[in-house]
Amino acid sequence: MDSKKGDLKEIDGEIANKNKDLEKINQLIIEKGEEPIQLSAGKYIIGADVPAGRYKVMPIGRGSNFITYGANGRLDVNKILGAHGEAEYIFFADDGGTIDSRSTVKLVPVE
């Protein structure tokens, strides 16, 4: 029993350390301070409709599917945003790719 308690204490310490590491990583996502971009439901071309870059996407309203494709047509991101999914998601919008948003979203430029 004492051995198991020692193992549990060691695991708890490892979890605490990993949570500290995760907190540091999350702080690396810094908003650029630029004006957010609001997109209505629809399909958009990155580089023409939306500048290429790194973004944090958040649903406005209930949320829905958020999908991006690379310039080669391959699927890059397929997330559910909102009440039944993620509150926000960080992604890269590469020039020539597309965004397919099934509901209104806000894109916040991040570093």
Side-chain angles (χ1 to χ4, degrees):
M1 186 76 154
D2 288 338
S3 172
K4 294 297 179 190
K5 286 182 181 178
D7 290 346
L8 181 58
K9 188 173 183 176
E10 184 178 324
I11 291 170
D12 285 341
E14 289 177 22
I15 290 171
N17 288 337
K18 294 298 179 186
N19 282 335
K20 288 178 186 175
D21 291 344
L22 181 59
E23 186 176 317
K24 289 177 187 176
I25 290 169
N26 285 337
Q27 291 174 353
L28 295 177
I29 305 300
I30 301 169
E31 294 181 8
K32 289 185 173 183
E34 298 175 9
E35 190 69 29
I37 301 167
Q38 184 170 322
L39 300 177
S40 299
K43 296 183 180 189
Y44 300 88
I45 300 170
I46 301 167
D49 301 319
V50 175
R54 188 173 185 214
Y55 292 95
K56 174 171 61 175
V57 61
M58 298 172 287
I60 296 177
R62 293 178 36 193
S64 188
N65 290 50
F66 181 81
I67 304 163
T68 69
Y69 297 92
N72 59 6
R74 294 182 65 183
L75 179 67
D76 284 336
V77 175
N78 186 3
K79 290 290 177 186
I80 297 173
L81 300 175
H84 299 289
E86 302 292 330
E88 60 186 36
Y89 185 77
I90 307 295
F91 73 102
F92 288 95
D94 295 325
D95 203 25
T98 59
I99 294 173
D100 182 358
S101 182
R102 306 295 170 96
S103 67
T104 303
V105 294
K106 178 168 68 171
L107 302 180
V108 178
V110 297
E111 293 182 17

